[in-house]
Amino acid sequence: MLKTGQPAPGFELPDAGMEMVSLNGYLGRWIVVLFFYARDALPQCREEAIGFSDREEEFDRLGAKVLGVSQDDVLCHADFCEAHGLNARLLSDVEGEVCQRYDVLREKEMGGQKRSCVDRITYIIDRQGVVRFAVAVNNNRDHVVEVLNLVKELNRS
């Protein structure tokens, strides 16, 4: 996991609509909530994405934009967003380069085979591009609220 206080690595990735999204496009104006998750199809990941999407207006009012990143491709993201009515921006990191830069890739053994998996971690990046909080997902139900409260705290400081 990245440490708080360090610069957030830059990135440019396509979203579900195949539009390129870069961290630099938000800096100076927005706090960025960057959540990494394993796969669109996994129930816990779906619940997290829906949670962030449902609270998008609250994040906007706090001056924060929410971006989700997984290794699913843009077509998978588009289907996922359509199937669940999501308005959160989901970015495709098929090669895992951004996941590596943000230190969320782990090799795990599953069914006797080693696989690269994405840890579910959310980074809160301030308007200057500095990581202010790094939050591992412990409980889906509380995670989005915890992140929302941290964004509020960041706004107060």
Side-chain angles (χ1 to χ4, degrees), residues 4 15 20 26-27 35 37 48 52 73 83 89 103 109 114 121-122 139:
T4 59
D15 69 6
M20 294 304 288
Y26 292 94
L27 298 182
F35 72 98
Y37 66 102
E48 181 181 13
F52 277 117
D73 65 30
R89 280 189 107 167
D103 195 26
E109 193 168 318
K114 288 188 177 183
I121 296 172
T122 300
N139 180 321

Side-chain angles (χ1 to χ4, degrees), residues 16-117:
M18 295 188 213
E19 182 180 329
M20 294 304 288
V21 176
S22 74
L23 178 61
N24 284 340
Y26 292 94
L27 298 182
R29 298 181 309 153
W30 298 96
I31 294 168
V32 175
V33 174
L34 188 64
F35 72 98
F36 288 88
Y37 66 102
R39 295 277 178 222
D40 292 340
L42 296 175
Q44 64 272 26
C45 296
R46 180 177 57 239
E47 185 178 335
E48 181 181 13
I50 290 170
F52 277 117
S53 187
D54 286 350
R55 293 187 174 253
E56 183 182 38
E57 286 181 18
E58 292 177 71
F59 282 104
D60 277 349
R61 281 194 297 274
L62 294 169
K65 292 294 182 184
V66 177
L67 304 172
V69 178
S70 81
Q71 290 186 277
D72 289 317
D73 65 30
V74 292
L75 297 175
C76 186
H77 282 336
D79 290 344
F80 181 57
C81 289
E82 186 177 328
H84 299 287
L86 301 179
N87 48 8
R89 280 189 107 167
L90 302 181
L91 309 180
S92 180
D93 184 26
V94 174
E95 300 299 320
E97 293 172 10
V98 173
C99 290
Q100 286 177 343
R101 282 188 236 151
Y102 278 82
D103 195 26
V104 298
L105 280 182
R106 299 287 172 259
E107 201 165 272
K108 297 179 182 177
E109 193 168 318
M110 302 168 112
Q113 294 181 335
K114 288 188 177 183
R115 296 181 134 184
S116 181
C117 298

